[in-house]
Amino acid sequence: MTVPQEVKIGMLLTDQVQLLDMAAVDLLQMASPEYMRIVGVPEPVASQGRSVKILYIGKPGAAKVQEVTATPGVCLTHTTADSEVAPGNLDILLIPGPDPNNTPAQESLEFLRAHNEHKTTTLVICTGALLGAHSGIYNGRNVTGPRMLEPLLKEKFPDAHWDFSVRSVQDGHLWTAGGITNGLDLVASFIRATYPKEVAEFVCSMAEVGDRPLKYEA
């Protein structure tokens, strides 16, 4: 994938999500020329960064607040029906983990299926695996998810090729992560695979991420 000069990221908030899952998007913000110039990165490197626009997508719609763990909430900017976040208009779709006890809404599943058909780069973190699995886009794909949900995910979604021995997995345009903080490993891997090397190394070094082994030690 060639990342455009401005990266338009849609974050799908299906209900209350984990703040730590959402935080992984900040690594992409750190890869922007604006951020790198603030912290004094030399211009030859900073100029290779990509500006970021983050769109927060949820059922309540623009200017409504979506509840998030550990914070009063996040102000939404769009619903899944808005044309600005339709397939073809997002470079990245990021799915942080929602409450695993809730069944995803049909409009969220249809939104995800449409972006999958368009091959939008999709980053799924932690219990976001349930949204991906319920939508059917995991069928026949190499994916991972939170180890605490391994029995449930394998039983309910046997058509996915699950690998719970690793922190993250890429299968084409679909990138999936295990539990919460593995979202940082996932985004670090994505940046290293798709951004200029000097930018990727700056971000990973500055944030001190991306150096954990792919496979869990235990």
Side-chain angles (χ1 to χ4, degrees):
M1 170 191 169
T2 301
V3 181
Q5 191 61 31
E6 179 183 71
V7 183
K8 188 179 288 186
I9 304 168
M11 188 178 297
L12 182 59
L13 308 179
T14 54
D15 54 45
Q16 185 185 55
V17 300
Q18 195 79 32
L19 180 62
L20 272 175
D21 291 2
M22 294 178 60
V25 76
D26 199 37
L27 295 177
L28 292 163
Q29 178 63 41
M30 291 175 67
S32 69
E34 295 85 357
Y35 179 87
M36 287 190 282
R37 287 169 184 143
I38 288 172
V39 296
V41 172
E43 186 59 27
V45 177
S47 62
Q48 296 181 68
R50 281 81 185 245
S51 297
V52 168
K53 182 176 183 180
I54 304 174
L55 309 175
Y56 295 91
I57 309 162
K59 186 175 181 180
K64 300 296 192 300
V65 174
Q66 173 63 60
E67 186 178 358
V68 176
T69 62
T71 180
V74 171
C75 185
L76 298 171
T77 60
H78 296 77
T79 70
T80 56
D82 292 335
S83 60
E84 189 175 3
V85 298
N89 293 330
L90 293 179
D91 300 301
I92 297 171
L93 178 61
L94 193 149
I95 302 173
D99 185 337
N101 298 301
N102 295 341
T103 300
Q106 194 60 37
E107 58 261 37
S108 297
L109 298 178
E110 291 173 357
F111 182 77
L112 183 50
R113 291 185 195 112
H115 275 279
N116 182 62
E117 290 176 8
H118 194 272
K119 293 184 169 51
T120 303
T121 295
T122 303
L123 311 181
V124 186
I125 299 171
C126 197
T127 55
L130 286 164
L131 183 63
H134 274 291
S135 73
I137 72 166
Y138 278 19
N139 292 347
R141 308 291 287 278
N142 298 311
V143 294
T144 191
R147 291 186 290 176
M148 68 175 184
L149 295 181
E150 179 176 352
L152 179 137
L153 290 170
K154 283 184 172 179
E155 178 184 356
K156 292 193 67 173
F157 308 102
D159 293 331
H161 302 316
W162 297 102
D163 184 354
F164 293 95
S165 70
V166 293
R167 299 182 189 280
S168 65
V169 173
Q170 179 196 1
D171 187 333
H173 63 277
L174 179 61
W175 300 65
T176 58
I180 304 176
T181 62
N182 290 312
L184 295 169
D185 299 283
L186 177 73
V187 177
S189 294
F190 172 76
I191 290 173
R192 281 190 164 134
T194 58
Y195 278 67
K197 182 179 179 180
E198 291 177 309
V199 173
E201 291 310 310
F202 159 73
V203 170
C204 292
S205 176
M206 183 79 172
E208 298 186 17
V209 297
D211 57 355
R212 296 200 294 184
L214 179 64
K215 284 187 171 288
Y216 295 108
E217 296 176 357

